[in-house]
């Protein structure tokens, strides 16, 4: 087993030719947010990854083995909910409102200019649908935001805060009113095409 104990974020400082030649390892978010895991790279080598506690591995990062060899990390496609705004009854601002409400629930969230992505959760999908947002299930790489505290706080705190908050709301009692004068809900039978 090849032992890996170093990570180069985004492969910074490495020559492009080295990155192209490096074997890859494709990992989902659940694995990449752990600091210790086993995997197999594209060359068939068994990897034992032992990174400092709290380290999250991102797609594009490069793992460095004890023997100096490199392994480029790819974010594996996985089930996610993709959230977009409804062009008929909403605006892109609705995504900002959704990100605010999801943040209050400590949901790991990937932000894109035209959509949000989160791990599947039927309760959150229903809430987002009631906010005039279109929620679709897809398989895609998932790279959630690292959080405002990740750069300033000790690594263990940043990791521990984000891990394990999948799909529960800490008993916050939020009302998700969308401010529109009608109770339109997206989903089957809503009356218009998406």
């Amino acid at each position: 087993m090849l032992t890996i104990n170093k990570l180069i974020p985004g492969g910074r400082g490495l020559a492009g030719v080295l990155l192209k030649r490096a074997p890859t390892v494709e990992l989902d978010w659940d694995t990449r947010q752990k600091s210790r895991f086993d995997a197999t790279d594209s060359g068939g080598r068994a990897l034992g990854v032992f990174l400092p506690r709290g380290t999250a591995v991102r797609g594009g990062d490069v793992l460095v083995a004890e023997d100096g060899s490199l392994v480029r990390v790819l974010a594996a496609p996985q089930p996610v909910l993709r959230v977009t705004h409804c062009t008929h009854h909403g605006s892109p601002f609705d995504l900002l409102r959704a990100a605010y409400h999801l943040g209050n629930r400590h949901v790991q969230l990937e932000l894109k200019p035209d959509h949000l992505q989160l791990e599947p959760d039927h309760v959150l999908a229903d809430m987002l649908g009631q906010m005039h947002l279109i929620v679709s299930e897809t398989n895609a790489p998932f790279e959630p935001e690292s959080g405002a505290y990740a750069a300033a706080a000790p690594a263990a705190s940043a990791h521990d805060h984000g891990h394990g908050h999948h799909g529960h709301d800490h008993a916050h009692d939020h009302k998700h009113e969308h401010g529109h004068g009608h109770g339109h809900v997206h989903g089957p039978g809503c009356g218009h095409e998406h």
Side-chain angles (χ1 to χ4, degrees), residues 25-83:
V25 63
E26 197 169 8
L27 305 168
D28 65 12
W29 175 242
D30 187 53
T31 302
R32 288 183 289 118
Q33 65 181 328
K34 297 175 183 171
S35 54
R36 287 166 171 52
F37 57 88
D38 293 334
T40 303
D41 72 11
S42 60
R45 298 181 302 175
L47 309 175
V49 179
F50 303 93
L51 298 171
R53 182 171 167 78
T55 302
V57 180
R58 300 290 181 161
D61 287 351
V62 174
L63 301 171
V64 182
E66 285 183 329
D67 69 358
S69 62
L70 305 175
V71 180
R72 193 165 39 96
V73 176
L74 304 175
Q78 65 183 74
V80 294
L81 296 179
R82 181 165 290 168
V83 183

Side-chain angles (χ1 to χ4, degrees), residues 84-87 90-98 113-116 133:
T84 56
H85 79 280
C86 176
T87 57
S91 74
F93 181 74
D94 294 335
L95 290 176
L96 183 61
R97 288 179 54 249
D114 63 344
H115 69 274
L116 306 174
L133 293 160

Side-chain angles (χ1 to χ4, degrees), residues 147-165:
Y149 297 105
S157 297
H159 173 72
D160 292 344
H161 181 75
H163 184 67
H165 290 301

Side-chain angles (χ1 to χ4, degrees), residues 105-151:
R105 291 173 173 250
H106 306 287
V107 173
Q108 293 188 358
L109 188 63
E110 182 175 3
L111 306 173
K112 296 290 187 179
D114 63 344
H115 69 274
L116 306 174
Q117 286 192 158
L118 62 145
E119 292 175 299
D121 182 304
H122 68 90
V123 173
L124 295 176
D126 290 345
M127 178 193 83
L128 293 165
Q130 292 176 18
M131 295 174 67
H132 287 273
L133 293 160
I134 300 165
V135 179
S136 57
E137 296 179 20
T138 189
N139 279 325
F142 183 54
E143 291 285 0
E145 288 292 306
S146 59
Y149 297 105

